[in-house]
Amino acid sequence: MSSVDALHRESAVDLARACAAGERSARSIADAFLARAASVEPGLDAFLELDAARVRAQADAIDARRDRGETLGPLAGVPVAIKDLIAERDAPLTCGSRILENYVSPYDAHVIERLRAADAVLFGRTNLDEFAMGSTTETSAFKVTKNPWDPARFPGGSSGGSAVAVAARMAPLALGTETGGSIRQPASLCGVYGLKTTYGRVSRYGAAAYASSLDQIGPFATSAADLALLLGVIAGRDTRDSTSADEPVPDYAASLGQGVEGLRIGVPREFFGDGVDPEVRATVERAIETLRGLGAETRDVSLPHTEYGIPVYYLVATSEASSNLARYDGVHYTTRADAPDLEHLYTRSRGDGFGLEVKKRIMLGTFALSAGYYDAYYKKAQQVRTLIRRDFDAAFADVDVLVGPVAPAPAAPLGAVVDDALAMYMMDVLTVTANLAGICALSCPAGFTEGRLPIGVQLLAPPFAEPTLLRTAAAFEAATDYSREEPIA
Ligand code: GLN
């Protein structure tokens, strides 16, 4: 495809190669994606901010460097949309919250430094559930992002804006964050690839903290190869995040062509329980058959503590959130309420600034950590978390990768779950255990419902086995064509 009209359909791999070779300017790529966004964004609301001048200035600087004869980086001229929870110098950083409505970041997150060094073009700030707390992108204080396959439905969350930006080809790549499914679930509901990286694989320096023992940054893309490209740029040790691992970064692209011949795939029976929608179940079973047809061996496995994932996650995540969000106090960098004294300054700033979902979680977490309840709730949750981790250890003693659904159901209509806490939390039942165990997992497009809503399949692998995930996803992608379908013309 060479016409400018079709540029937004090209892969990140092809765009970067063409830009580095001087066949396309970064400016022409940026303009094509800005034009695409101008035509589809008004109906989708994926972005909280997309400043064309800032985008073009970056692209022009990249072109100028190439014109001077400099060799460009691996993401030369490739637009990357950024979840508005990841700090970008001189750009807004709202976290989807009124309390940070006017905040502008004075510094770059580690992943943003890496993107700049790779000659990517930072392409706007994407919408999210407030402080990443939610599964639909409807708890954002600012706007409701729509699913491009059916704008009357939600895109999933909390990284819904990033998923939609990529699904609607407003950007070839995007970054999101995961605490309990916030990349995989919207990727599944929007028909794109989304990777939750191993805990410690990517530095969280500059990502606003929600639950620090769970949070990770990860990529969205429209192919396994593009996912590998972005992962290779952001992965690796950073001394400013003490949990970032000193683990070599493999050549992720090299794993893509390895196929699945002889790969041992486990099918956890707890991922196929009564709560899983029949079309989702049928789609995942078909995907397993496809992988078997490609030479993988499959066997049944058990993750017996899966049913405790939701209570454990919502105790650990809210406890950590209650501590992490104490910094938004009206004194430091947040919106400050008028108040006669210090105590009212705190309570009014936080009372006005936080939305209901965030307040609910701060209260729950504070309660779970309080004297007299700590042993019964937080400590018990941590003990069960260890059992969940051991379930995965036992399963991975026999298999290389696990396969199951991502979300129990396809995208539902806007408003269907956001006011029903249990319904919303149950959407995370098949994703939170990977976060609690610290392993890596991805969602890849695997089919559609009869009503043409995307369904993803989840692949899970041991810590730092991202190459196994990419290899499996690439083999599945080559054998199917779900990821080539487009939601809107
Ligand atoms: N939906 C989950 C929550 O609300 C997960 C969110 C996330 O991964 N950030 O906590």
Side-chain angles (χ1 to χ4, degrees):
M1 277 177 237
S2 58
S3 88
V4 168
D5 287 351
L7 216 113
H8 67 267
R9 294 204 174 87
E10 289 195 18
S11 70
V13 168
D14 286 346
L15 290 168
R17 193 167 41 218
C19 183
E23 292 158 18
R24 284 197 196 290
S25 65
R27 177 60 183 263
S28 68
I29 297 170
D31 282 339
F33 283 96
L34 287 169
R36 173 69 179 170
S39 86
V40 301
E41 167 67 1
L44 297 175
D45 288 320
F47 288 92
L48 288 172
E49 190 254 16
L50 178 57
D51 179 345
R54 201 165 77 239
V55 167
R56 291 194 177 108
Q58 296 173 73
D60 289 346
I62 292 166
D63 286 333
R65 301 218 350 260
R66 194 200 38 232
D67 292 347
R68 284 200 300 270
E70 288 181 36
T71 304
L72 296 183
L75 285 174
V78 178
V80 184
I82 310 293
K83 184 179 187 178
D84 195 15
L85 187 86
I86 300 173
E88 176 184 334
R89 195 181 55 242
D90 298 333
L93 176 61
T94 70
C95 299
S97 183
R98 288 261 170 245
I99 207 161
L100 288 173
E101 188 165 9
N102 300 311
Y103 182 71
V104 173
S105 174
Y107 76 108
D108 278 339
H110 176 78
V111 291
I112 299 295
E113 291 175 354
R114 289 282 185 93
L115 289 177
R116 291 191 202 274
D119 291 315
V121 170
L122 305 170
F123 197 82
R125 315 282 306 160
T126 62
N127 196 22
L128 68 157
D129 284 301
E130 185 175 0
F131 286 105
M133 297 175 184
S135 305
T136 67
T137 313
E138 292 167 292
T139 76
S140 168
F142 303 111
K143 51 171 73 163
V144 170
T145 300
K146 287 90 185 169
N147 191 311
W149 296 88
D150 177 357
R153 292 173 189 265
F154 56 70
S158 66
S159 313
S162 287
V164 171
V166 172
R169 317 262 170 170
M170 292 188 272
L173 296 172
L175 286 183
T177 63
E178 270 240 9
T179 306
S182 277
I183 292 174
R184 284 166 289 161
Q185 187 255 21
S188 174
L189 271 41
C190 291
V192 297
Y193 292 79
L195 172 66
K196 175 238 170 302
T197 50
T198 302
Y199 189 74
R201 179 69 294 181
V202 177
S203 168
R204 297 171 299 133
Y205 175 76
Y210 163 9
S212 307
S213 76
L214 300 161
D215 297 342
Q216 274 294 295
I217 296 171
F220 286 95
T222 55
S223 69
D226 282 2
L227 206 59
L229 176 66
L230 181 50
L231 177 62
V233 168
I234 62 173
R237 172 93 174 126
D238 167 32
T239 51
R240 295 166 301 184
D241 173 1
S242 61
T243 65
S244 102
D246 201 359
E247 184 76 25
V249 177
D251 177 357
Y252 291 113
S255 59
L256 295 167
Q258 287 172 354
V260 293
E261 183 79 49
L263 193 77
R264 298 166 307 163
I265 294 183
V267 182
R269 70 179 70 99
E270 293 80 4
F271 276 43
F272 294 83
D274 287 344
V276 177
D277 174 276
E279 284 186 290
V280 171
R281 182 197 306 254
T283 300
V284 176
E285 283 168 355
R286 208 168 46 241
I288 293 167
E289 273 313 309
T290 302
L291 290 165
R292 230 201 304 263
L294 294 169
E297 298 164 16
T298 60
R299 62 187 76 171
D300 289 341
V301 299
S302 177
L303 299 169
H305 296 92
T306 300
E307 64 174 304
Y308 302 108
I310 290 296
V312 168
Y313 171 81
Y314 277 96
L315 283 168
V316 172
T318 56
S319 295
E320 294 182 15
S322 72
S323 165
N324 274 327
L325 271 61
R327 73 192 65 179
Y328 306 109
D329 57 5
V331 176
H332 292 97
Y333 28 68
T334 49
T335 305
R336 180 176 301 184
D338 279 336
D341 55 41
L342 186 63
E343 189 180 334
H344 286 91
L345 174 70
Y346 289 149
T347 53
R348 283 189 197 163
S349 298
R350 287 168 68 82
D352 296 349
F354 288 136
L356 282 179
E357 185 64 30
V358 173
K359 285 179 188 162
K360 185 164 67 187
R361 294 187 187 209
I362 291 171
M363 283 191 273
L364 178 61
T366 305
F367 177 75
L369 291 176
S370 59
Y373 293 99
Y374 178 89
D375 283 352
Y377 295 117
Y378 185 73
K379 192 169 161 209
K380 183 66 80 186
Q382 290 289 19
Q383 288 166 334
V384 180
R385 180 179 187 174
T386 301
L387 298 177
I388 290 170
R389 188 180 298 132
R390 288 191 190 145
D391 281 357
F392 282 111
D393 290 346
F396 288 129
D398 292 326
V399 300
D400 304 303
V401 57
L402 297 166
V403 181
V406 181
L414 291 164
V417 298
V418 70
D419 295 325
D420 179 347
L422 195 59
M424 187 167 88
Y425 296 174
M426 286 312 286
M427 293 178 63
D428 306 328
V429 62
L430 303 175
T431 49
V432 293
T433 49
N435 304 76
L436 289 165
I439 63 172
C440 58
L442 65 70
S443 175
C444 71
F448 296 89
T449 65
E450 249 180 63
R452 246 182 105 64
L453 297 172
I455 298 173
V457 66
Q458 180 171 203
L459 307 172
L460 306 95
F464 303 104
E466 279 88 355
T468 310
L469 297 180
L470 292 166
R471 160 188 174 197
T472 312
F476 183 73
E477 181 184 347
T480 58
D481 53 11
Y482 307 117
S483 61
R484 282 186 280 281
E485 309 245 349
E486 282 186 43
I488 35 187

